Amino acid sequence: MSRLLVCAPDYFRIDYEINPWMRLSNAVVPERARAQWHGLMRLLEAKIGALLERMEPVPGLPDMVFTANAGVAVGRRAVPSRFRHPERQREESYFEAWFRDHGYEVTTLDKDLYFEGAGDLLGLPDAWFGGYRQRSDIRAYGRLSEIFGREIIPVELVNSHFYHLDTCFCPLSGGELLYYPPAFDRYAQAAIAERIGEARRLVVPESEALRFACNAVCVAKQVVLPEGCPETIKRLEARGYTTHPLPLDEFMKAGGSAKCLTLALE
Ligand code: ARG
């Protein structure tokens, strides 16, 4: 059973611009956002069989819907995020409190060691990968590697449209990787290729990467992804995955999609 932390979009809106997708002039339509979010939740519960842990949204924290950035939780241990932008730093205490109130053993990072949670740290059976440059600090991965006792391969994100690792990199349950290579520098592309053989790498075309095809939720053989990604769907289905495309464009206005709206609680 897969447990996911989610937070309803009650206060979701575009209040500031901290990534190239966000424009103050491109306002969220609240009832559409609500309907899209509930559609995702229904699908996760009914089709994916996920158990949803819902946290209380907080007025004035519009990006709290993106619980992938709450932190990272493995077993009973959790490390809450340290956001780079002051606009999101106010979310930190709420996420930390949630982990504490739910029995996690919480380890906090220094204030200036930026780390944006499962938005930037993702694992495959072979290795964990940590995205850095745009949001998280490469130094965070040395510390996280000590905390979790796992090797973490830092990968540099070079395109501001793909500012979190989960916007361009999606490990699948069968050990394959769905990703968009140009979002990484050459060294990171080589590090990924070295760990994950070509037969296991599913490359997403640019047009679909820009529709957040990689921001997918994969549980067992089910993949939930934003609609408008037919090539990605073909590639996934050829590997035996069942795909569930959903309209999530209201969340793209903030630079997010399906995966960012969830945090896997192992
Ligand atoms: N507006 C949010 C930000 O820029 C979106 C976060 C999306 N989260 C993610 N894990 N990719 O921080």
Side-chain angles (χ1 to χ4, degrees), residues 18-19 22 63 66 68-69 88 119 135 163-164 166-167 254-255 260:
I18 57 170
N19 69 52
M22 302 177 91
D63 274 337
F66 298 112
N69 300 122
R88 294 203 67 184
R135 295 294 182 88
Y163 57 93
H164 276 140
D166 69 2
T167 62
C260 317

Side-chain angles (χ1 to χ4, degrees), residues 49-211:
L51 185 75
L52 302 180
E53 296 273 4
R54 297 164 192 264
M55 71 180 285
E56 243 349 90
V58 177
L61 297 181
D63 274 337
M64 231 174 123
V65 280
F66 298 112
T67 49
N69 300 122
V72 69
V74 180
R76 293 320 294 164
R77 186 179 299 277
V79 179
S81 289
R82 291 289 187 217
F83 288 95
R84 180 174 293 271
H85 296 100
E87 292 87 343
R88 294 203 67 184
Q89 285 167 1
R90 290 176 304 123
E91 297 172 39
E92 291 174 8
S93 58
Y94 294 95
F95 288 136
E96 183 177 334
W98 189 90
F99 288 123
R100 290 196 193 280
D101 293 347
H102 289 77
Y104 284 88
E105 199 177 302
V106 172
T107 306
T108 54
L109 300 176
D110 290 343
K111 276 278 170 210
D112 62 346
L113 195 55
Y114 301 130
F115 168 59
E116 300 202 355
D120 268 334
L121 180 60
L122 294 168
L124 276 105
D126 326 61
W128 288 7
F129 292 86
Y132 72 93
R133 173 77 59 211
Q134 313 272 338
R135 295 294 182 88
S136 300
D137 188 325
I138 189 171
R139 293 176 308 129
Y141 298 116
R143 182 75 191 99
L144 287 157
S145 179
E146 278 170 25
I147 295 170
F148 290 109
R150 294 289 303 249
E151 183 193 4
I152 299 173
I153 300 162
V155 285
E156 182 173 347
L157 299 170
V158 293
N159 179 329
S160 61
H161 279 92
F162 303 100
Y163 57 93
H164 276 140
L165 184 62
D166 69 2
T167 62
C168 50
F169 185 100
C170 178
L172 301 172
S173 57
E176 304 92 340
L177 172 68
L178 185 70
Y179 79 132
Y180 178 58
F184 299 89
D185 77 338
R186 287 183 52 188
Y187 182 80
Q189 289 182 34
I192 294 167
E194 193 192 302
R195 296 292 175 134
I196 301 150
E198 195 178 354
R200 288 200 287 141
R201 282 183 265 130
L202 280 57
V203 171
V204 166
E206 181 184 25
S207 59
E208 298 188 5
L210 288 167
R211 277 185 219 119

